[in-house]
Amino acid sequence: MQFGKLDIILPDSAYYVPNFITPSEESQLLEKIYSSPKPKWKTLSNRRLQNWGGLPHPKGMIQEKLPEWLLNYVDKVGTLGIFPGKLPQTCLIMNMAPDKDLPHEDGPLFYPTIATINLGSHTVLDYYEKPCSSENSESEHQIENCHYVGSLLLERCSLLLVKDDLYTKYLHGIKEITTDVIDENIKNLSMSNIENANELKRQSRISLTIRHVPHTIKANRIFGIK
């Protein structure tokens, strides 16, 4: 598969694949996600989460088998070769309302590559230089104290791949707004399907964050059982 590389206009490296999945596949994924058992959802202050494949832990992740409806897409990302010598094995499904994420980094638990499939609505992902607090606080001045370097438009059914310096040395976040201005700050606009639009109104969005966790461990080691 050919995909556009963005590291000339953002720090190294990002890749964008519009139409990575079809609208029919998007509908099927959303149906499976929304019909998941209630205990599978974890509710936080401004988002709901589902963890599939295992829950990352500082001592190691207990790997679990992915359901077939999700495994197909995790494997599809794996065939792109962006995890050299490794395969992605976890997926974090996130539903944010409102669509808001203060600047943060994904951290050292994961292999330094991230793949995101976007469902239901577009969003705009903003990137910032460090130093900038990467704590998950609710303080709005976090964004004001960060040096903004540019944004990426994530359309419905698209795939974003981020690795190298852009993963390890920069923070990413989503502003709490309902309408996005489409301008020169959107660094992948030429790769998108957007034509003659100055603004885009956000709808309910689901993201599938697909990653590789290098360190896995048996449950008895985490809980001290012999």
Side-chain angles (χ1 to χ4, degrees), residues 13-24:
S13 299
Y15 304 82
Y16 183 67
V17 187
N19 307 315
F20 180 70
I21 62 172
T22 66
S24 175

Side-chain angles (χ1 to χ4, degrees), residues 129-140:
E129 284 184 353
K130 298 178 185 178
C132 170
S133 174
S134 60
E135 298 297 323
N136 290 322
S137 73
E138 295 299 318
S139 175
E140 294 297 339

Side-chain angles (χ1 to χ4, degrees), residues 52-57 59-65 90 213 215-223:
W52 294 96
L55 184 63
H57 188 279
K59 293 184 178 180
M61 183 184 76
I62 304 172
Q63 190 168 347
E64 301 170 351
K65 186 176 179 180
T90 69
V213 179
H215 186 39
T216 58
I217 194 170
K218 293 183 178 180
N220 59 357
R221 289 190 61 190
I222 288 181
F223 295 106

